[in-house]
Amino acid sequence: MTTILSVPPLSDITAVFSEDGPLAQHLPGFRSRPGQQAMAHTIAEAIRERRCLIAEAGTGTGKTFAYLVPALMEGGKVIISTGTKTLQDQLFERDLPLVRDALKLPLSVTLLKGRSNYLCLHRIAQAQHEDLFPSKQDARHLKAIVSFARTTTRGDRSELANIPDHAGIWPLVTSTRDNCLGTHCAYFDDCFVMKARKEALDADVVVINHHLFFADALLREEGLNELLPACNTVILDEAHQLPDIATVFFGDRIGGAQLLELARDAEIAIRTNANDLAELLARIDRLAPAIRQLRLAAGEFPGKFPASRLLLLPAFAEALQTLTKILDETASDLGTVAERSEDLGMIAARAQTLSRALQQWCEIDETADEENEDKAPLVRWADISPRGWQLHASPLSVAPIFRNFIENSARSWILTSATLSVAGQFTHYQHELGLESAQTARWDSPFDYEHQALLYVPTGLPLPNSKEHTDAVIDAALPVLTASRGRAFLLFTTYRALQHAHQRLQTAFVERAWDWPLLVQGEASRSELLERFRMEKNAVLLGAASFWEGVDVAGDALSLVIIDKLPFAPPDDPLLAARLEHLKKNGGEPFRDWQLPQAAISLKQGAGRLIRTETDYGVLMITDPRLVEKAYGKRLWRSLPPMKRTRELEEVVAFFEDENQRAQPG
């Protein structure tokens, strides 16, 4: 029996988005939006013609439905990649089923996560025979995991909500690409990762995240099998994150945590399969002290440093040489016993790979790379944390690699986000990814920002590099918080400023007898903090980094967003410094061509937290005088939504008084 789909013809996308169309019938409160329809038509054309489209959609455009409808209606296999778990879950659990059912399309949809999200039966069996756990709590967690593994069909660790994401047990019961035994594993037929991948191969629509997308891209670069299935269309949502994530995946990195994990896995495998090799165990025991010594030799203060600076420190150079020698000897010794078991064979291969990576980092010649036009130049740098370290070799530009990846695939590519352009131009973003020939399109937000929002830059503020700046930010914020009755995000460009602001606000809350909840990033998970913020209705939340984007608080729970500084990347970041120097050598102007566009995109992300619906009202307060006092400031605020602007506190207070009147019933 043939199923007749009661949906509009594929060419009539307008009908799908009409006031009486299938979406309106399935989604209470649905409203037809011209920008959404126009975006859907443009995406449909790009899919049909197998083109690459960069599409910016202002907040409220409805970009998710604008790409889902044409992607599903045009047919073929679709991969949708997102930057955050929140959007990934929203797509899979809510938006995709709704559109599929509205259009009455018999499509199968699956969610595919990275390997570390699934339990590994082999490593669980190993852990059960071990008595070395990071903590007693982890030993108790293992019992719950073993019980769960017997009953679960997907093996997704997120289903075990009572075990924290940061619990030390997870690396012991999940696998990585390095330690997976593949087809040699005794549990291969029951492997949760393999089951999830098979579902992805069979599904019409696969929802993934950017890290998994680039893991697949990297495997193809290396000539290995594809992780993800072949498809007709790839949609990359939250595409503003792609340049940074691509830089991580297309570079090389080796860290102390990796080596400690290798040592731990090697010890377990030797005790299980080669307990007679006491000398090899003694060799492995030398790794941990050498890893710690390298961190000590890097100096007291954490940060990101160019390799050239660290290698001038005699203690660091010596510690690095010692670690390299121990790792090389360990890899060689493990190689002699690799045939005793699959585990030992895999660990020996890991040790050899890590040993080569460490040696290559020591030997990279950035000058030679720059002179080789066929090779992406690498920048060698180190990220030193309070207790650990990572050594990076990052591509100076991901553009050649990403362009090659796009151009060598006969499929359509849709890259979309609310923040891809600067003052309406996509030049910077296209240059970052090597997509100068891609089609670009943008649709402004349908929100009435002139009446819904106010941009406030206080007068008399010190420059952001001064010691008194954070104190001045809080002093300026207090009367505005009084007017807004809490309901605020305070977004900071550094954790140091966030911590100082937290101390000042704690005192201010006591002095003013404010009983509003004061929430601070790091005190709980982001999702927990946001849930509390929404429920409390008058909370004040302090955040940095991850709170600048992907955070959606609609309604009157959030009516004030304060940004402490214009989000220019720190100039001492070694990768940024190398890119700016390269740009200058090639006739570019680093500030104009790189730093300013990057800051504009980041500022748009932070400002985008304020107005999320047609009925939201609020104030965006930016406590950086450069926005109005420097010539380049105009370029930055012109990249923001078209809000009214003021420097007068009285106008801010009046705005909130008007908001309160609007909120009164009748």
Side-chain angles (χ1 to χ4, degrees):
M1 178 179 176
T2 303
T3 302
I4 299 175
L5 303 177
S6 56
V7 297
L10 297 185
S11 59
D12 193 6
I13 285 178
T14 302
V16 176
F17 289 97
S18 66
E19 295 288 359
D20 58 352
L23 287 180
Q25 294 170 21
H26 281 74
L27 184 63
F30 176 84
R31 295 180 61 181
S32 181
R33 307 171 194 172
Q36 188 179 50
Q37 290 185 27
M39 183 177 180
H41 278 289
T42 303
I43 289 174
E45 291 172 3
I47 291 174
R48 290 171 194 154
E49 298 174 15
R50 298 290 177 94
R51 285 190 273 108
C52 178
L53 169 68
I54 300 173
E56 181 180 88
T59 306
T61 304
K63 67 178 169 63
T64 303
F65 284 5
Y67 65 67
L68 284 180
V69 168
L72 300 191
M73 291 176 67
E74 291 297 325
K77 195 176 190 80
V78 180
I79 289 179
I80 304 172
S81 180
T82 76
T84 61
K85 184 179 183 298
T86 301
L87 183 54
Q88 192 179 11
D89 291 340
Q90 177 184 308
L91 275 167
F92 179 68
E93 296 169 6
R94 190 187 75 184
D95 296 338
L96 263 168
L98 191 152
V99 173
R100 178 189 60 188
D101 295 345
L103 300 180
K104 299 182 180 178
L105 295 173
L107 302 174
S108 57
V109 179
T110 192
L111 179 68
L112 182 61
K113 299 181 179 181
R115 180 189 293 276
S116 64
N117 290 279
Y118 301 96
L119 298 181
C120 173
L121 296 172
H122 172 67
R123 289 178 68 78
I124 289 175
Q126 274 189 328
Q128 285 181 277
H129 291 92
E130 272 300 307
D131 57 2
L132 298 174
F133 295 102
S135 71
K136 291 181 179 180
Q137 184 64 39
D138 288 311
R140 289 190 287 270
H141 287 329
L142 178 62
K143 293 180 180 179
I145 290 170
V146 170
S147 177
F148 172 71
R150 295 193 185 106
T151 58
T152 179
T153 55
R154 296 185 60 85
D156 187 338
R157 57 182 266 188
S158 67
E159 296 174 32
L160 276 169
N162 58 328
I163 301 180
D165 280 346
H166 60 268
I169 191 64
W170 288 123
L172 301 181
V173 295
T174 57
S175 69
T176 64
R177 183 160 63 95
D178 291 333
N179 62 31
C180 175
L181 298 179
T183 55
H184 300 294
C185 180
Y187 299 90
F188 182 78
D189 292 339
D190 298 314
C191 177
F192 295 120
V193 173
M194 291 300 111
K195 287 179 181 178
R197 290 182 181 175
K198 185 178 185 306
E199 276 188 34
L201 285 168
D202 297 336
D204 299 303
V205 184
V206 185
V207 181
I208 62 171
N209 61 50
H210 294 337
H211 287 83
L212 190 56
F213 168 78
F214 279 111
D216 178 48
L218 184 61
L219 288 174
R220 294 186 215 189
E221 283 290 313
E222 295 174 351
L224 302 176
N225 293 331
E226 293 184 12
L227 176 64
L228 299 170
C231 63
N232 301 80
T233 301
V234 176
I235 297 171
L236 301 169
D237 202 346
E238 300 176 300
H240 60 279
Q241 298 180 4
L242 296 178
D244 287 341
I245 298 175
T247 297
V248 172
F249 272 88
F250 291 139
D252 294 315
R253 61 193 184 281
I254 180 171
Q258 274 177 291
L259 297 181
L260 287 171
E261 186 175 331
L262 169 72
R264 184 193 64 214
D265 289 349
E267 181 180 353
I268 293 172
I270 291 168
R271 293 190 187 281
T272 304
N273 304 288
N275 206 24
D276 56 312
L277 299 176
E279 290 184 4
L280 183 51
L281 281 173
R283 174 90 70 190
I284 290 169
D285 285 343
R286 295 171 58 199
L287 268 175
I291 293 166
R292 288 194 294 271
Q293 184 57 40
L294 188 65
R295 171 60 191 92
L296 292 172
E300 180 181 351
F301 299 105
K304 297 178 180 180
F305 305 97
S308 56
R309 176 176 166 183
L310 287 176
L311 291 173
L312 288 176
L313 301 174
F316 185 86
E318 182 180 347
L320 181 61
Q321 184 178 14
T322 300
L323 177 60
T324 304
K325 182 174 183 294
I326 292 173
L327 182 57
D328 181 54
E329 292 171 348
T330 301
S332 178
D333 289 349
L334 284 168
T336 63
V337 297
E339 295 181 357
R340 291 203 185 190
S341 73
E342 296 292 349
D343 277 331
L344 278 171
M346 180 62 70
I347 289 166
R350 280 170 63 192
Q352 290 163 5
T353 299
L354 291 171
S355 178
R356 284 195 299 270
L358 190 57
Q359 290 173 4
Q360 288 170 359
W361 191 87
C362 296
E363 296 167 359
I364 287 174
D365 184 342
E366 287 107 337
T367 305
D369 279 351
E370 286 240 28
E371 295 171 355
N372 186 348
E373 295 181 359
D374 298 325
K375 184 178 180 181
L378 294 173
V379 178
R380 197 170 40 148
W381 58 283
D383 188 355
I384 308 299
S385 63
R387 295 187 178 182
W389 51 266
Q390 273 196 336
L391 307 181
H392 293 259
S394 303
L396 192 64
S397 169
V398 298
I401 310 171
F402 195 82
R403 181 193 303 117
N404 183 60
F405 184 57
I406 295 283
E407 292 178 350
N408 288 344
S409 62
R411 57 173 62 107
S412 54
W413 295 84
I414 312 298
L415 288 72
T416 185
S417 170
T419 54
L420 297 175
S421 70
V422 178
Q425 301 298 312
F426 292 87
T427 309
H428 177 73
Y429 184 77
Q430 289 176 280
H431 179 72
E432 276 195 284
L433 292 180
L435 301 179
E436 288 84 358
S437 61
Q439 177 188 359
T440 62
R442 61 184 297 270
W443 295 270
D444 290 331
S445 169
F447 298 154
D448 185 2
Y449 280 97
E450 187 173 350
H451 294 94
Q452 289 181 251
L454 181 68
L455 172 60
Y456 172 47
V457 181
T459 57
L461 290 170
L463 288 173
N465 60 353
S466 63
K467 291 182 179 180
E468 60 271 16
H469 181 260
T470 301
D471 285 323
V473 169
I474 299 305
D475 290 340
L478 290 174
V480 184
L481 286 169
T482 300
S484 68
R485 294 171 288 116
R487 306 184 299 151
F489 275 4
L490 277 70
L491 302 179
F492 296 88
T493 54
T494 67
Y495 287 102
R496 181 179 298 177
L498 184 153
Q499 291 163 357
H500 183 68
H502 180 212
Q503 293 171 356
R504 281 288 317 276
L505 281 175
Q506 282 180 311
T507 302
F509 271 48
V510 172
E511 291 173 349
R512 288 162 174 77
W514 287 346
D515 60 355
W516 311 324
L518 183 59
L519 310 177
V520 183
Q521 180 175 344
E523 291 183 343
S525 70
R526 187 171 84 155
S527 58
E528 290 176 61
L529 289 173
L530 288 173
E531 186 60 30
R532 284 189 59 194
F533 187 89
R534 293 187 184 100
M535 290 178 61
E536 298 286 357
K537 300 298 185 183
N538 59 355
V540 175
L541 186 150
L542 280 63
S546 62
F547 280 87
W548 280 66
E549 61 176 276
V551 173
D552 192 352
V553 179
D556 61 6
L558 176 62
S559 292
L560 171 63
V561 171
I562 301 175
I563 294 176
D564 75 326
K565 298 178 185 178
L566 298 178
F568 288 107
D572 57 350
D573 180 293
L575 182 55
L576 174 62
R579 285 173 169 168
L580 297 182
E581 182 62 27
H582 179 77
L583 188 62
K584 188 176 180 180
K585 282 183 181 178
N586 287 274
E589 209 290 305
F591 182 78
R592 180 198 64 203
D593 299 338
W594 190 277
Q595 291 169 286
L596 195 57
Q598 290 280 15
I601 289 172
S602 296
L603 187 62
K604 284 170 69 176
Q605 278 292 332
R609 301 315 99 215
L610 182 63
I611 304 298
R612 307 302 298 177
T613 71
E614 294 170 337
T615 58
D616 284 356
Y617 291 88
V619 170
L620 172 63
M621 177 176 173
I622 301 178
T623 52
D624 189 331
R626 294 176 296 178
L627 187 66
V628 292
E629 295 174 5
K630 296 291 185 182
Y632 60 77
K634 183 180 291 186
R635 188 176 175 191
L636 291 173
W637 61 252
R638 280 183 172 173
S639 291
L640 295 173
M643 310 173 187
K644 285 184 177 178
R645 301 186 304 277
T646 185
R647 305 203 70 184
E648 302 299 328
L649 177 62
E650 291 76 11
E651 290 190 41
V652 176
V653 173
F655 181 92
F656 281 117
E657 289 175 350
D658 290 344
E659 183 203 5
N660 293 337
Q661 292 174 8
R662 285 189 293 265
Q664 296 300 320

